[in-house]
Amino acid sequence: MNITLERRYADRLEEFSARHAFLVDLAMVLALMGCAALGGSLTLPSADPPDQDKTATVLMGVACLVLLKHRTHPRTAVVVAGGCTVAAVALGYLVTPLLLAPVMAALYWLATLTDRRTTRVYGIVTMLAVIVAAVFSHSMDHLSLLLRTIGPFFWLMLPLAAGNMTRLRRAYLQAVQARAEHAERTREEEARLRVTEERMRIARELHDVVAHHMALANAQAGTAAHLALSNPEQTRKILTDLTGTTSSALRELKAALGLLRHNDHEDDTGPGSTALEPAPGLARLPELVSACASAGLEVTVTTEGEPQPLSPGVDLTAFRIVQEALTNVTKHATAEAARVRLAYTGTRLLITVTDDGTGEPVAEAPQGRGFGVIGMRERAHSIGGELCAGPRPQGGFEVTTALPLQSTTHPAEGTTP
């Protein structure tokens, strides 16, 4: 608690000092002038005070006034303040912390505002000059050589050490702030990336839902119109299937769009919350085959190997790829039959969808009129799988994909409708 209060007051003091720099510097100079004047009046009990009072006053006044420029010219302030202090000591004034106050302040600001090498050079030269002047000063004849040197050395080292600590503290705070800003930028970039990936994922879902159901609805409506006069019973059955197709499309669209309004902070089980429909999987293949049959496309599904459990993401991806492949057959190929082959081999699921139509991959055309095959390939890659699509040598079109049985790379597995 005390540390927090001290830091708060220190921050406020630094803010006030930065906002009113000249007033702070002027107050500091006036205080240092008082210290220097008092220091010039001190002498040892057995020593006579020097006679050059006006000279010492002028020297200390210059040493203090030059500190008004310490923020922009710290080296000049050290040189002038050090020269004036050396001159005052050479005139016979006693070396005390009060007399050394101006040069001590200059050294502190030098260590705070400049680099370590500059501080070392100017600090050593200033200390040597003051120590040499103190050694040969008549005001300190009654003291030993050790006391003449250790006193100035100690008092001048103190501001250098304090200034160096202040500079290191500021550098540390700047580094912490820079790391915090970098972390914030990284979080924002990651959030934007997640939003982009989520939008692409929902866009693929909407494309699959709309393309599949609308293609089936269009084929069913066309077939019903063609059989309306010749086979009313078949027409009635197709129209009934058309109602189921549009109802299924509306349900899946509602579930997909519900993700955009889903609030993670809202309790899903609370009043007014809507449970999302479970993600479709290969278990719904019979439903898909029946819908395609009502649109005039006969689909045969064969399974090879022992069926293995799939992770939710792989199950969803497999179903969507089969759904999109059959949708492309309905929309772009003059085919009456399609075959779906599911082969479980080791740790992978091989899916092959073929037809006996013309095999025109409109979705891969250079004009980019569709995104069917592109979307299937993106889905396969998102869970570590592969997909190939193209015309068959013997005619028709073929989509082949290899998917892992388990995947940990699919985002929000099991929650996407």
Side-chain angles (χ1 to χ4, degrees), residues 216-218 220-221 237-247 294:
L216 284 181
N218 180 70
Q220 289 169 339
K237 181 180 183 302
I238 292 176
L239 291 178
T240 302
D241 293 339
L242 176 60
T243 303
T245 300
T246 54
S247 299
S294 66

Side-chain angles (χ1 to χ4, degrees), residues 350-405:
L350 303 180
I351 302 176
T352 305
V353 181
T354 59
D355 66 81
D356 55 1
T358 58
E360 297 179 359
V362 176
E364 287 285 274
Q367 292 83 0
R369 288 177 287 172
F371 299 95
V373 176
I374 296 176
M376 288 189 291
R377 184 172 290 115
E378 288 179 350
R379 282 187 177 277
H381 289 172
S382 68
I383 60 171
E386 300 176 353
L387 185 138
C388 296
R392 302 168 62 203
Q394 61 271 35
F397 199 78
E398 181 177 83
V399 175
T400 303
T401 181
L403 305 177
L405 298 181

Side-chain angles (χ1 to χ4, degrees), residues 120-138:
R120 186 183 299 113
V121 172
Y122 281 81
I124 291 176
V125 172
T126 303
M127 282 193 296
L128 289 177
V130 173
I131 291 174
V132 170
V135 169
F136 292 98
S137 175
H138 298 292

Side-chain angles (χ1 to χ4, degrees), residues 237-320:
K237 181 180 183 302
I238 292 176
L239 291 178
T240 302
D241 293 339
L242 176 60
T243 303
T245 300
T246 54
S247 299
S248 178
L250 289 176
R251 286 196 305 271
E252 292 200 32
L253 280 175
K254 182 179 179 181
L257 294 176
L259 289 177
L260 300 177
R261 299 189 298 268
H262 185 63
N263 186 357
D264 292 334
H265 300 286
E266 182 182 353
D267 185 3
D268 293 340
T269 61
S273 62
T274 303
L276 297 181
E277 187 178 86
L282 293 179
R284 290 179 57 179
L285 274 184
E287 178 184 337
L288 180 62
V289 170
S290 176
C292 291
S294 66
L297 178 65
E298 182 181 353
V299 180
T300 303
V301 179
T302 59
T303 302
E304 298 179 4
E306 184 68 22
Q308 301 293 328
L310 305 176
S311 65
V314 176
D315 199 15
L316 170 65
T317 301
F319 176 79
R320 290 304 190 194

Side-chain angles (χ1 to χ4, degrees), residues 86-148:
V86 170
V89 173
L91 290 176
Y93 287 90
L94 182 64
V95 181
T96 62
L98 295 175
L99 188 70
L100 296 177
V103 70
M104 289 172 64
L107 289 175
Y108 171 80
W109 289 112
L110 179 74
T112 303
L113 301 175
T114 61
D115 58 278
R116 184 178 300 178
R117 182 177 181 276
T118 301
T119 302
R120 186 183 299 113
V121 172
Y122 281 81
I124 291 176
V125 172
T126 303
M127 282 193 296
L128 289 177
V130 173
I131 291 174
V132 170
V135 169
F136 292 98
S137 175
H138 298 292
S139 63
M140 305 182 70
D141 289 339
H142 302 80
L143 300 177
S144 64
L145 181 62
L146 179 62
L147 293 178
R148 295 186 186 187

